[in-house]
Amino acid sequence: MIHPFSDVKTNNIGEDTNIWQFCVILKGAYIGKSCNICSHCFIENEVNIGNNVTIKNGVSLYDGITIEDNVFIGPNATFCNDRYPKSKNKNFKLEKILIKKGASIGANATILPGVTIGENALIAAGAVVTKDVEPNTIYK
């Protein structure tokens, strides 16, 4: 289901995925099956989302982010792909983010560029993740 109040340009959306109102999803994005993309989300071109992923309200996913299967992303979680952002930055260096299977990211967590979050890791609400997170750990 794609809500009529969303702007979805990609055709790469799996079966049984729901995209709610006021989402913007660009042409190159890939979203797996049985996902739930809640309202007011933005998903850029070079974003890959696996199966059974929940992305709560107010999340923006920028180029270079890969989210594997069975991941939960809480409301207003923030993902950064540029360590030194500036307007019209000619020296922009994309740093990818990888969220491994079964990870959960709490509300308002901030994930900095170049980070990998391990399988089944739990990121606490409000945490600022500055380095890789090992599988099966809690990051506060």
Side-chain angles (χ1 to χ4, degrees):
M1 184 278 305
I2 298 174
H3 195 283
F5 290 164
S6 282
D7 183 9
V8 177
K9 301 298 184 195
T10 186
N11 293 321
N12 301 316
I13 300 173
E15 292 180 21
D16 299 320
T17 286
N18 292 314
I19 299 172
W20 294 95
Q21 64 271 35
F22 311 119
C23 291
V24 175
I25 302 175
L26 300 185
K27 186 176 182 178
Y30 176 87
I31 301 171
K33 58 186 174 182
S34 299
C35 294
N36 191 35
I37 313 297
C38 295
S39 66
H40 295 92
C41 288
F42 174 76
I43 300 174
E44 221 166 16
N45 283 298
E46 295 175 36
V47 174
N48 290 298
I49 299 170
N51 300 319
N52 304 308
V53 172
T54 297
I55 301 174
K56 299 306 276 182
N57 304 55
V59 174
S60 293
L61 299 174
Y62 301 108
D63 287 342
I65 297 174
T66 298
I67 299 169
E68 293 185 351
D69 297 343
N70 304 308
V71 169
F72 174 85
I73 298 177
N76 300 306
T78 300
F79 297 84
C80 309
N81 66 1
D82 186 359
R83 196 166 299 273
Y84 305 104
K86 294 192 312 189
S87 179
K88 303 189 188 275
N89 184 1
K90 295 176 184 171
N91 298 314
F92 171 75
K93 180 179 182 247
L94 178 88
E95 293 186 60
K96 296 181 177 184
I97 294 173
L98 174 59
I99 312 298
K100 303 286 263 177
K101 293 177 185 173
S104 290
I105 299 174
N108 291 307
T110 300
I111 313 301
L112 294 185
V115 167
T116 296
I117 296 176
E119 286 189 28
N120 302 310
L122 175 61
I123 308 302
V128 178
V129 180
T130 60
K131 59 186 179 181
D132 290 350
V133 177
E134 294 296 319
N136 304 303
T137 59
I138 297 174
Y139 186 98
K140 300 178 186 180

